[in-house]
Amino acid sequence: MSVDVRAMFRRCADLSPNPEVGAAPRELSLAIVGLDHPNADGSNRRFEVALCEPGHPVCLVPEPKNPVDPHAVAVLSMNQIQLGYIPFERSGWISTLLSAGERYEAFFQDHGRCAAIIRVRFGGGPPTMPAPRYTPPQPIDPADLVDWGA
């Protein structure tokens, strides 16, 4: 990757809104796709996702030379290891915002069942952590209550 990742993280930390863009803050949660693909450096994306905790910063890195999607936006952990990509349906819009110099802050939100989730806020300021979803307790299966004896 020819992008200066450290410079991108410094840019991530700049929370002042860009006066040229002048957009009101926008905030959204996004799934990260491509978790099962290996990274070029040999690191494992799912392992890196497992190390992420809610609130850990992540960085969005446009990949205009990506052969599959010129609007691809990679998601890097705070360890500067790629977790995956912004979904195709949002990558065009987000890469346009990033190319225009829109300020943002992003963090790891949650380990989803099929994908990891990040939270992003454009327009300056930190994103808010959404309230956790209620998951009802699962009934206990009697087959799981085996007495293994002593």
Side-chain angles (χ1 to χ4, degrees):
M1 187 183 310
S2 63
V3 175
D4 182 2
V5 176
R6 290 188 179 152
M8 290 298 295
F9 267 92
R10 283 192 297 273
R11 183 172 164 216
C12 290
D14 182 6
L15 302 179
S16 61
N18 185 343
E20 295 173 10
V21 176
R26 293 171 305 282
E27 191 168 315
L28 66 158
S29 294
L30 296 165
I32 302 171
V33 298
L35 299 177
D36 292 324
H37 293 281
N39 286 329
D41 64 1
S43 58
N44 184 297
R45 294 178 184 182
R46 285 218 180 256
F47 182 77
E48 187 64 21
V49 166
L51 296 176
C52 291
E53 294 290 330
H56 281 176
V58 296
C59 190
L60 307 179
V61 180
E63 291 186 356
K65 294 182 181 180
N66 186 302
V68 176
D69 177 12
H71 299 291
V73 178
V75 179
L76 305 181
S77 71
M78 68 180 197
N79 298 323
Q80 299 179 8
I81 295 175
Q82 184 174 358
L83 302 174
Y85 287 94
I86 297 294
F88 176 78
E89 297 81 14
R90 298 284 188 158
S91 64
W93 174 63
I94 290 176
S95 68
T96 301
L97 289 174
L98 296 174
S99 297
E102 180 80 25
R103 301 291 183 213
Y104 74 96
E105 186 172 344
F107 62 69
F108 187 84
Q109 181 178 325
D110 193 15
H111 301 91
R113 289 186 175 205
C114 298
I117 311 296
I118 63 169
R119 186 77 173 172
V120 182
R121 179 179 174 121
F122 289 97
T128 57
M129 182 68 82
R133 293 184 180 181
Y134 172 74
T135 53
Q138 300 297 317
I140 297 174
D141 184 354
D144 291 338
L145 302 175
V146 176
D147 182 11
W148 293 98

